[in-house]
Amino acid sequence: MNQSSGYKTKQRQAILDYLMDNRDEHVTAASISEHLEQNGSRVGTTTIYRHLDKLLEQGLVRKYTVDGTTSACFQFAGKGENCREHFHLKCEKCGKLIHLSCSRVDTLCSHICEEHGFDIDYFRTVFYGVCKECREAEELN
C-alpha cells in the first residue's frame, strides 16, 4: 500500500468516526471539515465529499437534501439504524435537522393510511419551523 492510499484511509476513517460519534445528528461537509481541522487534519471539501459518496455507496451513511438552499446533511446509517421510521423537523433559522419520533404523529399517519388510503413517506417528509433554541434566543432579544 502506498502512502497516499493510507492517508486516504485515515481520512475516511476520521470522517466515519465523526459521523458515528454524531450518529443522532445530521452533519454537513463543512462541519466535518471544521472538526477535522480542529483535530489537526486538514482535509479539503472535495475530498470529504468523495469519501462521503463512497460511504453512501456502502450504505454506511445516509444523505439528506431537504431543500435547494441549504447544504446536504449526512448521518451515520450503520447496521440496524433506520431513519425511515420517523419524520424530520427543519429549523428555518439555524438550519438544524431534527428527528421527530412521536407516537401522536405515528397515530396520525396510521389514520391517514387506514382512513384515506395514503401512505406517507417518512424519509421525505419534513416539517419546517423554528427550533426551541432559536425561539429561546429570540425571546432573550
Side-chain angles (χ1 to χ4, degrees), residues 40-55:
S41 179
R42 232 180 134 90
V43 180
T45 306
T46 303
T47 302
I48 291 171
Y49 276 113
R50 187 170 40 252
H51 286 297
L52 287 169
D53 285 342
K54 288 178 184 174
L55 293 169

Side-chain angles (χ1 to χ4, degrees), residues 1-101:
M1 169 164 52
N2 66 35
Q3 187 176 8
S4 65
S5 66
Y7 184 66
K8 288 181 181 177
T9 301
K10 287 179 185 175
Q11 290 175 341
R12 178 191 177 279
Q13 190 59 50
I15 291 167
L16 187 57
D17 288 345
Y18 178 75
L19 288 162
M20 289 188 309
D21 290 344
N22 294 281
R23 73 179 64 229
D24 294 329
E25 298 177 33
H26 298 91
V27 300
T28 62
S31 65
I32 294 169
S33 176
E34 182 180 315
H35 168 77
L36 294 175
E37 190 169 328
Q38 288 173 354
N39 287 288
S41 179
R42 232 180 134 90
V43 180
T45 306
T46 303
T47 302
I48 291 171
Y49 276 113
R50 187 170 40 252
H51 286 297
L52 287 169
D53 285 342
K54 288 178 184 174
L55 293 169
L56 282 162
E57 288 173 16
Q58 296 168 349
L60 294 173
V61 172
R62 204 172 287 112
K63 179 179 182 179
Y64 299 92
T65 49
V66 178
D67 54 38
T69 60
T70 56
S71 298
C73 295
F74 300 88
Q75 183 181 30
F76 179 71
K79 295 180 181 174
E81 297 189 30
N82 192 345
C83 202
R84 295 182 185 273
E85 297 174 359
H86 59 261
F87 294 108
H88 294 91
L89 308 174
K90 171 80 172 174
C91 180
E92 295 176 304
K93 297 278 185 186
C94 69
K96 181 174 18 179
L97 194 62
I98 304 165
H99 294 274
L100 174 64
S101 295

